[in-house]
Structures are given as C-alpha cells and as structure tokens.
Amino acid sequence: MTAATHSSLFPQVPDSADAVLEGLDPEQREVATALHGPVCVLAGAGTGKTRAITHRIAYGVRAGILQPSSVLAVTFTNRAAGEMRGRLRQLGAVGVQARTFHSAALRQLQYFWPKAIGGSMPRLVDRKVQLVADAAAACRIRLDRGELRDVTSEIEWSKVTQTVPGDYAPAAAKAGRETPRDPAEIAQIYSVYEDLKRERGVIDFEDVLLLTVAVLQDRPDVAEQVRAQYQHFVVDEYQDVSPLQQRLLELWLGDRENLCVVGDASQTIYSFTGATPDYLLDFRTRHPGATVVKLVRDYRSTPQVVHLANGLLAQARGRAADHRLELVSQRAPGPEPVFTEYSDEPAEAEGAAHRIRELIESGVPASEIAVLFRTNSQSETYEQALADAGVPYQLRGAERFFDRPEVRKAIAALRAAARFGGNDHLLDDAVDLPSQVRAVLSGEGWTPEPPAGSGAVRERWESLAALVNLAQDFAAVRHQAGLPDLVVELDERAGAQHAPTVQGVTLASLHAAKGLEWDVVFLVGVAEGMMPITYAKTDEQIEEERRLLYVGVTRARERLHLSWALSRSPGGRPNRRPSRFLDGLRPGSTGTGARGAAGGTGGVERGFPAARTGPAGTGSPRRRLRTPARCRVCGRTLTDAGEMKLMRCEDCPSDMDEGLYERLREWRAEQARRSGQPAFCVFTDKTLMAIAESSPEDEYELARIPGVGRRKLGRYGADVLAICAGREPAGEQERD
C-alpha cells in the first residue's frame, strides 16, 4: 500500500500556491521552492520524497513559474508514474507529464520516426525470450530454461550499459559479472539476436531508449524540438538510472540545468540490470552549483523500526555506505522488531500465517500486512499457509488493478447504470451512492460476505469489494455525489493507474516491494544462503543484498517480524543460521551492529515448539499436523488422494506441459524395464502429471511434489530435473 492511499483518499485541492506548501517540513519546503537550477534531493526511506517533488511541481505550476506542459517527471515503474500523476491531480497541477523513461522515449520515438527515419516504426516485442532462444538455436547452443532467462538478462544488461556484442566479454569481466555461459557464447547469441530482430522488423524494450538516443544525437532539429517542449525535468529514484537512461536525460537537457533528481544510494537494489548510484553520488561534481537537500525525517516507521534500519546500514561498506543517511523517526514509539527461529520452512510459513490471522482478528486490516521474501519461488509456501489459515492475500506484481477483466466489466456496468439507472430495477431501493454501487456490482458477483477458498473466485470478489470500498470513501467526502461522479473518478484513476486498496495480505519479493509500505511486515527466510543469496560472492554483491534487506525493513510502519528456518524441509538437517546482516542486531547475537540510542532489548520467539516436539524431556519429534489441502485453482478442499497430488480438482483446468509429460512417461517406462518392476513403482501417473504441471527447476521444488519422497528424489531426481530442463537424462544413478 502506498502513502497516497494510506492518507485521505480524496483530499481537497489546495486553493492557492501557498496552500500547496502547507504541511511540508522545512527540508521538504526547501525542495518545493527550489525551482531553478540543478537540485539534488537525498531522501531516506519514508522521508516523503514523492510528497516533496510533487509539491515542488505543483507549487511551480500554481505560482505560474512552471508551465504544466513544459515539465517532464520521469521514474522507473508505471505504478510510480501513476501515483505521481494522481498526486499532481490532487494538488491541482493538471497537464504535467509523469512517465517512465521508456514510456517517454517511446512516445517521442513514435512521433518523430516518420520525420527522422521514415516509414513505419517496427513492432515492439513484449518478451524477448523466444527471440533469444531462436538466436541460441541458430548458434547451435542449447540453453535450459534457467540459462535462457539468464542469457536474456545479460543481453538486457549489455544494451542498457551500451555494450555491443563484440565488447561483451571484456565488459562483463570488468563488471565482475558471473556469466551463465561462456562469455564468447553469450556474445555470439547476442550478435545473432540483433540480426534476427533486424530480419523480422522488430525492436525490443531497450531499443526504444537506444533509438531515441540515436535520433536525438543525429538530428539536432529533433533534439531542439524536444527541448523546446520540455524545459524542466524531475527524475525520481535517481540511484537506479543506467548509463543509457543517463545519456537520454543528458540529451533531453542539452546545455540547460533545470533538473531536479531524487534518490537514496542506500536503496540501490537493481545493479544487476545496469543501474548505478554513481550519477546520484557524483551529481554535485557534474553540477557544482547544485542545491543539495537531505531528507532524514522518517514519517513512515516507528523509532524501533528505524533503529534497526540504521543498524543495518551502520555495518555497510563501500561508496554507497559512505553516503548513507541516518534516519530520525517522527513517530511515537512502537513494539520492538520480533525475531523468530523455526525448525523448517513449512513451520515458518505456518507460524507467519498464524500470527497474521491473529493480527486480522485483533482489527489490523489484511491490506496493511505484507509478507516479503527474497525470491519468487518462496511465494507458494506462504500462499498455501495463508489459504489454509483462511487469510485472503494478493500477489504483488500480478495484473494491474484497472486491467483486470472483472474490474473493466464492473466499471462498464457502473457507467451503464449512471446513464440509464432510472430504468434499472436493481436501483429501486438504493438510497445513496454506496448502496447503488453495491446493487450494481451484485449483478457482477459481489456479495456482502466473501466466498470460501483462495482461488480465482476469491480474487474476483476482492477486486469488486475494492470498488465498493472506494465508493464508500468517495461518498464520505462528496456527500452529494452520484454514479456519474464516481464513474468520472474511476476513469481518472484508471488513467493515472491510481488503484484502490485490495483487502488482502500482500505477498511480494523484496524487489517488488520497493516504494510500498504497510503497518505490519513479515520478512521471511532471513537466513544465510537466502539473505545474502547464495550467488552473491563479491563485496559489492553482498552489500547490495544488505541494501535489499534494508529496503524490506523500511517497508514497515509499526510492526516488523523477521524469521528464518534451520532447515528447508521437516526432518531436514538443521544446518542453517540467521543472516549475517542480523549479527549484533538481533538479541543474543554479537557483531558490529548498533541498536541506536532509543533501542530496546527486542522480543525473541522460537516458533511453536510445543506443536513439534514429543513428550517433555524426550526430544523426539512429533508428526506435524497437516492442514487441509485446497485446490490451487478454485480453492475447494481436496480429499481425493490423486487430486491432493495434483493440488487441484480433477475437473479444474490443467496447465500441464503435454510434451514434458510424454517425455517423463517414456523415461519411466525405461526405468521400470531396467528394474523389472511395474511403472507405477517408479512414479504414478498422477505424480508425473504433477511434475509436468509444475515443471520444477531444482531439488527443493521437486521434493515439494506429493509422491516424490526422499528415496525417489535421491534415485531419480537428477534425471527428472534434466528432463524438465529440456536435457537428456544421464541415466539412473543410485544415490544411497
């Protein structure tokens, strides 16, 4: 949830330029009134940076100093750009362009293509993975799914760092990148990939920036036309710019210096994509006359959360750490962060779900709770645990709210009711706007009580419930508003991608959580090997992992839970340890971290030992009570053993890879022939179907499939994973 939606949803538009400045702290006011020359805002987490820069733009527009059409504000995600447009609209600054780098560049490229290049602009490909696969095949290089994804990322990194195929190998070595294949092979694939694009008349996402840069460099007349349009630039999240984006920004600016950048080097977490904080840290060197404002008043988090965040950075090393900001909480004290150790990952997920349910029952809205993890592969365990606990959830990074089919259909129904409501019997007994909306949406599937389960039906209901809640908030502020007014509001919000809050616990990776905040945050899997991630080897990579954890910590407003598991699965060897980043910060640990002046002792919990140990003094494990299995499609409780293996009802749609299933069946037949036993003794049909539906990428994912026990994992795991990855199995290998 964003700060914008956490505050009043429908604030009154300020009646003057001076009114725009009301409520800003001294440093934010300094940002808002510094309208000329280069300005650098170093803004710590939760210090109101978006508030400061949107009020800066709005103040300039409302005071007549800035023309709305001459301002271009750029950021890195459509969500952030949409939020910025929404805030500017609320401040009365209509007509300001707030876009991502790619969106702004694409708009310019489409406009100038006929003039600068001629003909029709090539088609933009949404996903380049298939093109990369075709390029690898043309080079006679076989890539499994993981390698294909990683090679694609290497091509993207090359393009945003302006590295041509011939220079890839030395550039990757200089940057210390761990390449997924031999650098010469990647350079070859990269070169053929570029050839294939030209042959097929398509461009990719990075080409949009590259081609815009080329046009602005080669056509001074086009560059001057763009500069005549845009006189003032604001760049949010400036620590995340790539060399290519920086070059585009320089071409937009020309020899002018009406530039305001905002960022925090301690939140640089996208260096693997080519992002670098150097442009932020070197801003004063490049612009000696720059005004630099530091925002350190943290309005988001309690002193206890802030002290933990500051403690994390106190241990940091490197250039970004040298410029860290010491946050000062502006909130009343809250509870200490809770550190919890569990025996295994399923226990950790159940423990988090148990506490979340208690919080919701105590009155904390589900939408104000988040579970954050390092990798997306961790999500499924928490989805199942929350579903078993009857807790609604939403996955961050899924389809945008206003793009959901049920939302589009619901808004169309509201628009029809606004036009012809007098003839709609559903509205006969509806006396106010909220009741009218409930009546209309009842025809779309909304009910006063949510449906059981956690599948698609529940997700559709959550979307409609968000519209009902939005109508209630809208009516509370605009008492005389009717359906036509609400439809206008929804259209404006859709254009700005300013979505209402969906009532469900958020599940998100730490990268996807950037820019968001919640009252309660569960940081899970904070163990060595996951945080920092295993493949983080260099000092720079380790420090980026620390910054990623810092971003996670600073998402919490009031309550923060950090947890880790000693083993991956029940009964596994307890050889894991808490993340090194917590040394000196969690109670009972030693290290260089500092709790901060107002820090307390913190709370310590050890999971739920009573539910997992035998009689007192025996130390023997007790079998973990299993919660009911539910269909991953419709949410119905499963009782049939075959359905429980598939984790879906027999009648629910399957996403099985038919080709993979047939390859697994052929392999199973060969294994059965060799061992002289029936095929089902290797794996049953249902287990093979479950494997073909989930297509596991590692032993952990394979072991989670019912029917794949420890013995079969050891005996057949390598072969099965090879088949899933598109490779030939090495043959049966006994692993006793």
Side-chain angles (χ1 to χ4, degrees):
M1 186 176 180
T2 64
T5 54
H6 183 60
S7 61
S8 176
L9 285 169
F10 303 99
Q12 297 296 319
V13 175
D15 57 10
S16 67
D18 289 340
V20 171
L21 301 178
E22 293 177 3
L24 300 181
D25 67 30
E27 293 80 21
Q28 291 172 342
R29 182 180 284 257
E30 194 70 35
V31 173
T33 55
L35 295 173
H36 299 289
V39 178
C40 179
V41 183
L42 301 177
T47 57
K49 67 177 181 64
T50 306
R51 176 181 174 83
I53 58 175
T54 52
H55 281 69
R56 177 184 189 270
I57 295 170
Y59 175 71
V61 169
R62 299 291 297 277
I65 300 171
L66 304 178
Q67 292 298 316
S69 60
S70 73
V71 180
L72 178 59
V74 289
T75 186
F76 285 82
T77 66
N78 288 318
R79 180 198 56 77
E83 180 184 342
M84 193 177 291
R85 288 193 295 270
R87 291 201 192 191
L88 289 169
R89 181 167 63 90
Q90 292 167 354
L91 292 170
V94 180
V96 173
Q97 292 290 318
R99 297 180 174 273
T100 64
F101 270 102
H102 283 87
S103 172
L106 180 60
R107 193 163 180 257
Q108 293 174 17
L109 193 61
Q110 289 171 329
Y111 181 81
F112 288 110
W113 188 278
K115 175 181 179 180
I117 300 173
S120 300
M121 186 174 144
R123 180 175 61 86
L124 179 64
V125 292
D126 294 329
R127 296 177 68 251
K128 60 174 69 67
V129 171
Q130 186 56 55
L131 264 173
V132 176
D134 292 346
C139 298
R140 301 184 182 278
I141 298 173
R142 295 190 63 180
L143 301 177
D144 61 34
R145 284 191 308 168
E147 289 174 327
L148 181 58
R149 182 180 61 244
D150 292 341
V151 169
T152 301
S153 296
E154 288 302 295
I155 291 175
E156 291 172 349
W157 173 81
S158 299
K159 299 184 77 164
V160 300
T161 55
Q162 301 178 83
T163 303
V164 297
D167 294 339
Y168 169 76
K174 183 179 179 181
R177 295 183 74 82
E178 272 195 31
T179 58
R181 295 289 293 241
D182 181 272
E185 288 184 325
I186 296 177
Q188 184 184 4
I189 295 170
Y190 178 14
S191 178
V192 174
Y193 167 80
E194 292 297 314
D195 292 339
L196 284 178
K197 284 199 291 106
R198 282 190 290 271
E199 290 173 10
R200 299 179 185 182
V202 297
I203 60 174
D204 63 24
F205 207 49
E206 290 72 37
D207 289 331
V208 171
L209 299 185
L210 285 164
L211 289 167
T212 306
V213 164
V215 168
L216 294 176
Q217 284 180 160
D218 297 342
R219 292 292 299 266
D221 57 328
V222 171
E224 286 308 312
Q225 193 171 341
V226 171
R227 291 166 193 161
Q229 170 71 52
Y230 297 116
Q231 310 282 321
H232 302 270
F233 296 86
V234 177
V235 184
D236 194 12
E237 304 288 3
Y238 193 54
Q239 77 278 353
D240 288 332
V241 295
S242 68
L244 180 56
Q245 289 163 333
Q246 175 64 22
R247 180 60 185 143
L248 177 60
L249 179 62
E250 291 167 354
L251 289 166
W252 281 341
L253 274 168
D255 57 1
R256 301 164 302 173
E257 290 201 316
N258 283 328
L259 170 66
C260 174
V261 300
V262 190
D264 178 10
S266 296
Q267 296 188 68
T268 304
I269 59 174
Y270 296 106
S271 65
F272 61 91
T273 66
T276 171
D278 289 346
Y279 300 114
L280 175 67
L281 299 177
D282 293 337
F283 190 82
R284 178 168 267 177
T285 302
R286 296 197 318 278
H287 304 276
T291 299
V292 178
V293 183
K294 294 182 179 180
L295 304 182
V296 297
R297 302 176 197 244
D298 189 318
Y299 297 95
R300 176 187 300 159
S301 305
T302 63
Q304 286 72 18
V305 173
V306 167
H307 290 150
L308 178 59
N310 285 338
L312 278 172
L313 290 189
Q315 306 179 52
R317 300 291 180 267
R319 191 172 182 223
D322 293 340
H323 294 79
R324 62 180 174 266
L325 300 168
E326 187 84 8
L327 300 178
V328 181
S329 176
Q330 305 297 299
R331 297 193 56 176
E336 287 288 336
V338 175
F339 299 84
T340 308
E341 184 175 277
Y342 292 92
S343 58
D344 53 67
E345 288 183 0
E348 184 179 9
E350 288 181 11
H354 175 80
R355 286 187 174 82
I356 288 170
R357 182 165 186 169
E358 289 181 337
L359 287 166
I360 293 173
E361 290 173 348
S362 71
V364 178
S367 60
E368 288 295 352
I369 304 173
V371 178
L372 307 181
F373 31 75
R374 175 61 180 84
T375 66
N376 287 318
S377 63
Q378 296 168 270
S379 173
E380 186 180 354
T381 303
Y382 289 89
E383 291 178 54
Q384 186 63 51
L386 290 172
D388 289 341
V391 174
Y393 65 87
Q394 58 172 327
L395 288 172
R396 187 73 203 173
E399 193 174 26
R400 293 191 296 185
F401 182 83
F402 288 104
D403 292 338
R404 298 175 187 174
E406 66 271 18
V407 172
R408 292 201 303 267
K409 191 176 176 185
I411 293 177
L414 291 170
R415 181 174 288 109
R419 289 177 180 172
F420 313 111
N423 300 320
D424 192 338
H425 70 278
L426 286 174
L427 303 181
D428 289 346
D429 298 324
V431 296
D432 55 16
L433 177 60
S435 61
Q436 289 174 340
V437 171
R438 288 192 293 269
V440 173
L441 297 188
S442 64
E444 302 300 321
W446 178 83
T447 57
E449 295 298 323
S454 60
V457 173
R458 178 60 182 253
E459 291 178 3
R460 286 194 293 271
W461 184 89
E462 295 285 357
S463 297
L464 298 177
L467 293 174
V468 170
N469 293 333
L470 182 69
Q472 293 170 341
D473 292 332
F474 188 62
V477 174
R478 296 182 57 180
H479 306 293
Q480 305 303 317
L483 276 175
D485 303 301
L486 178 64
V487 169
V488 170
E489 175 66 25
L490 289 172
D491 287 342
E492 290 179 349
R493 280 175 167 262
Q497 284 298 331
H498 185 192
T501 303
V502 175
Q503 294 301 317
V505 172
T506 298
L507 293 176
S509 70
L510 288 165
H511 283 100
K514 179 76 168 62
L516 304 174
E517 58 189 68
W518 298 268
D519 285 347
V520 186
V521 168
F522 286 78
L523 284 173
V524 299
V526 191
E528 284 291 306
M530 192 61 74
M531 182 60 68
I533 199 76
T534 306
Y535 52 76
K537 305 293 186 185
T538 67
D539 291 343
E540 292 82 2
Q541 291 168 339
I542 295 294
E543 287 306 316
E544 179 141 339
E545 292 288 300
R546 188 194 309 276
R547 293 194 296 269
L548 192 55
L549 182 58
Y550 171 79
V551 166
V553 167
T554 54
R555 300 309 95 195
R557 296 194 193 101
E558 298 173 4
R559 296 176 184 270
L560 179 63
H561 295 254
L562 301 97
S563 62
W564 58 92
L566 297 178
S567 68
R568 173 172 286 177
S569 55
R573 183 178 300 174
N575 56 1
R576 290 181 173 178
R577 62 176 294 269
S579 169
R580 72 190 75 172
F581 300 146
L582 300 182
D583 291 348
L585 300 174
R586 61 183 176 86
S589 66
T590 59
T592 57
R595 296 277 314 157
T601 59
V604 182
E605 301 178 18
R606 297 291 180 189
F608 297 94
R612 288 178 167 76
T613 59
T618 67
S620 61
R622 176 181 293 172
R623 185 175 180 84
R624 185 162 62 93
L625 295 176
R626 295 188 62 84
T627 50
R630 289 195 172 93
C631 174
R632 55 188 167 85
V633 179
C634 71
R636 183 178 70 82
T637 300
L638 303 175
T639 55
D640 178 76
E643 290 184 341
M644 291 173 70
K645 251 179 197 178
L646 294 175
M647 290 307 295
R648 65 171 175 81
C649 304
E650 197 77 55
D651 297 333
C652 281
S654 168
D655 54 359
M656 184 176 68
D657 183 332
E658 297 286 351
L660 174 57
Y661 179 63
E662 288 305 317
R663 292 194 297 276
L664 288 168
R665 281 174 58 87
E666 292 171 4
W667 166 84
R668 182 184 64 173
E670 177 62 20
Q671 299 303 312
R673 186 189 64 77
R674 289 185 183 181
S675 61
Q677 59 183 349
F680 70 82
C681 292
V682 181
F683 286 121
T684 66
D685 284 348
K686 283 291 195 297
T687 299
L688 289 188
M689 289 175 68
I691 293 171
E693 288 189 355
S694 61
S695 193
E697 295 185 1
D698 55 34
E699 286 192 352
Y700 174 53
E701 293 181 4
L702 180 58
R704 290 167 57 93
I705 297 173
V708 182
R710 185 178 301 176
R711 182 182 63 82
K712 290 188 178 182
L713 182 67
R715 187 169 187 177
Y716 303 124
D719 278 5
V720 170
L721 290 173
I723 294 168
C724 291
R727 301 192 304 269
E728 291 297 323
E732 182 180 347
Q733 297 179 12
E734 299 282 354
R735 296 178 180 86
D736 296 326

